[in-house]
Amino acid sequence: MNEALPPSRRPGIRAAMFVDFDNVFTGLQALDPLAAKRFAEDPKHWADALSAGSSGEDARRFLIRNCYLNPVVYSKYRTYWTRAGFRVIDCPSLTQRGKSSTDINLVLDAMDALSGGGGIDEFFIASADADFTSLIQRFRAADRMTTVIAAGAVAFAYREMADHVVESHDFVAILNGTTVEPIHAVAPRKQQLVPAAAKSTSTAASPAVPEVLDFVRNAPGPVVGAMVAHRALTADPSLKTDWGGCGKFGTWVAQVGQGIEYSPGQGGWVWDARRFSSEDLPAPADRQPGIEEQVTRVTDVPALSAAQFRQMFLAMAARLREPLNRTELSRLVRDDCVSANQPVSRNAVNFVLQGLAYVNFQLNDEATAATLAAAWTANVEELCRVALLEFDAAEKLAVRRWASGGLLET
């Protein structure tokens, strides 16, 4: 008699999803009401985007899909989530101040999943609530991958504890269908799912490679990554999807080889290793002197110069005269800044756009560079306050001048 075969472990990353509905929904409403509606009424769409990977091996299998919501306020969305395969846990308000029981229910379920026998590789927490920082620490201590889906400002410690953060603008793009790029699965620490050689082969075939080689080899020194990315995308627009399977520019350009080196520090630099080395990169003090460096290090505000912020606001004000969605706006503003020799990354533009949304600034054709600068500066000041940064009057003025690009000076 043949022995029964043991059950085989199906391929893919075993994942668990815990959604703080109230937190994500209210955060999305402040950023993009249409995206908030799609989040609430079509969870299958974005859940499938999270499950998809670049190959069968790195696709996720969500063994647990939990959604925690306040039934008094959001019960009308329950059917959408149960139909999408989520277990919906009612978390009514337990206090007169309206505080729901989401946090405690989510943490208890997540700890049960961590200690259970399901062998979860990756935990997803859909919430910008920094109260879950201790939970993320538990996942990390147990050697589990963690991903945070943010729909609002994320505390620095919470961000740094997670292995990956799906930023607000990326999540909004998925919900609005303005990106076809899947959120790539984070490989378990014990395995590498996509061989480096495979990435290198696809990178070498791109017409952007000779353009980047020519540009970097003829540059008088290390080149800002945003300028190299702009040249690459112009030569090969298909890279806009996911950088040839590499996910982001830094990974792609590092695969170019042929003496081209890349450093992610200080916003990203690319150089010709035959003529330069990492010692030729501008020192941090040359780019972010004094109090500005402290702000960028603690709050995640992009490490740009005042001139770069100024150019961004000028480009943004000009582009807001056109009927553009947020994805198009961020791309064109990035390109305009590169053309004006004040290169900024698209992530930096998106961070500023996100900050403008947090202070309820209306992005329309009435916006000027000065009003954009004022709203962004108010957001930076609030980030500093939340981070408990204390400045004297002179330092506050320095932060204001820097963040506004000098546009608020009389």
Side-chain angles (χ1 to χ4, degrees):
M1 181 176 180
N2 294 332
E3 295 184 3
L5 293 175
S8 61
R9 175 164 166 156
R10 293 172 59 186
I13 293 177
R14 298 157 73 92
M17 166 77 74
F18 301 91
V19 180
D20 181 348
F21 182 95
D22 303 29
N23 180 277
V24 177
F25 185 71
T26 55
L28 287 172
Q29 281 187 313
L31 294 172
D32 188 323
L34 181 58
K37 178 179 174 64
R38 288 173 173 164
F39 162 78
E41 297 183 356
D42 191 9
K44 185 180 186 302
H45 167 70
W46 60 264
D48 287 348
L50 292 173
S51 298
S54 58
S55 70
E57 284 297 311
D58 67 353
R60 294 186 183 90
R61 294 179 56 226
F62 281 105
L63 305 187
I64 298 173
R65 294 188 184 191
N66 286 0
C67 172
Y68 304 82
L69 58 75
N70 187 333
V72 177
V73 183
Y74 300 116
S75 61
K76 66 180 180 180
Y77 298 117
R78 168 188 287 276
T79 303
Y80 298 110
W81 290 75
T82 56
R83 188 173 60 190
F86 280 79
R87 171 179 170 241
V88 178
I89 297 91
D90 287 337
C91 299
S93 173
L94 300 178
T95 68
Q96 292 181 342
R97 300 182 64 182
K99 176 67 173 177
S100 77
S101 56
T102 289
D103 291 10
I104 185 64
N105 281 305
L106 191 156
V107 169
L108 288 173
D109 287 345
M111 290 304 297
D112 284 346
L114 179 63
S115 59
I120 301 298
D121 299 314
E122 184 177 12
F123 285 83
F124 274 72
I125 302 296
S127 177
D129 189 345
D131 288 347
F132 293 121
T133 301
S134 296
L135 180 63
I136 298 293
Q137 289 175 328
R138 288 296 187 95
F139 295 151
R140 195 174 188 88
D143 195 26
R144 300 297 197 275
M145 303 302 294
T146 57
T147 297
V148 169
I149 300 176
V154 182
F156 187 77
Y158 186 39
R159 175 190 298 275
E160 289 302 301
M161 190 56 61
D163 292 292
H164 184 240
V165 178
V166 180
E167 301 288 357
S168 298
H169 55 267
D170 290 327
F171 195 41
V172 168
I174 292 172
L175 292 166
N176 287 339
T178 54
T179 178
V180 296
E181 176 185 356
I183 297 181
H184 295 283
V186 182
R189 292 183 175 90
K190 296 180 181 179
Q191 67 183 86
Q192 180 177 341
L193 299 177
V194 181
K199 288 184 179 179
S200 180
T201 300
S202 61
T203 298
S206 171
V209 170
E211 174 68 22
V212 166
L213 289 172
D214 180 68
F215 180 53
V216 175
R217 286 173 176 171
N218 289 290
V223 185
V224 177
M227 298 187 72
V228 180
H230 179 66
R231 288 294 190 104
L233 292 173
T234 301
D236 185 359
S238 69
L239 293 176
K240 294 177 182 177
T241 302
D242 67 345
W243 286 100
C246 293
K248 54 186 178 180
F249 167 72
T251 306
W252 179 84
V253 77
Q255 299 290 334
V256 169
Q258 302 186 55
I260 301 300
E261 298 288 340
Y262 170 76
S263 170
Q266 307 173 45
W269 290 88
V270 184
W271 67 91
D272 180 2
R274 299 177 302 179
R275 297 183 297 141
F276 306 104
S277 71
S278 59
E279 296 180 356
D280 295 301
L281 298 179
D286 293 339
R287 291 176 53 80
Q288 287 295 113
I291 201 68
E292 297 90 334
E293 182 182 3
Q294 183 180 354
V295 172
T296 59
R297 187 172 64 248
V298 175
T299 67
D300 274 355
V301 168
L304 305 178
S305 67
Q308 287 172 309
F309 275 126
R310 183 187 185 94
Q311 184 57 49
M312 188 189 301
F313 298 134
L314 291 171
M316 199 175 293
R319 288 296 182 181
L320 285 172
R321 304 294 185 270
E322 307 171 29
L324 302 171
N325 61 39
R326 179 166 161 169
T327 301
E328 294 169 332
L329 178 62
S330 65
R331 175 176 58 81
L332 291 172
V333 168
R334 186 274 313 275
D335 292 348
D336 291 344
C337 289
V338 170
S339 299
N341 292 320
Q342 291 294 344
V344 300
S345 70
R346 193 165 178 183
N347 281 341
V349 178
N350 276 319
F351 192 97
V352 171
L353 288 172
Q354 183 172 296
L356 292 171
Y358 292 154
V359 295
N360 297 318
F361 185 86
Q362 299 301 311
L363 295 173
N364 53 42
D365 58 6
E366 296 181 359
T368 66
T371 57
L372 288 163
W376 163 248
T377 302
N379 178 68
V380 172
E381 292 171 339
E382 175 63 12
L383 290 175
C384 292
R385 185 192 67 79
V386 172
L388 303 180
L389 291 174
E390 297 182 359
F391 301 132
D392 59 29
E395 290 172 332
K396 289 180 180 178
L397 182 59
V399 170
R400 186 174 177 81
R401 286 174 174 168
W402 163 67
S404 69
L407 289 169
L408 302 186
E409 294 182 351
T410 57

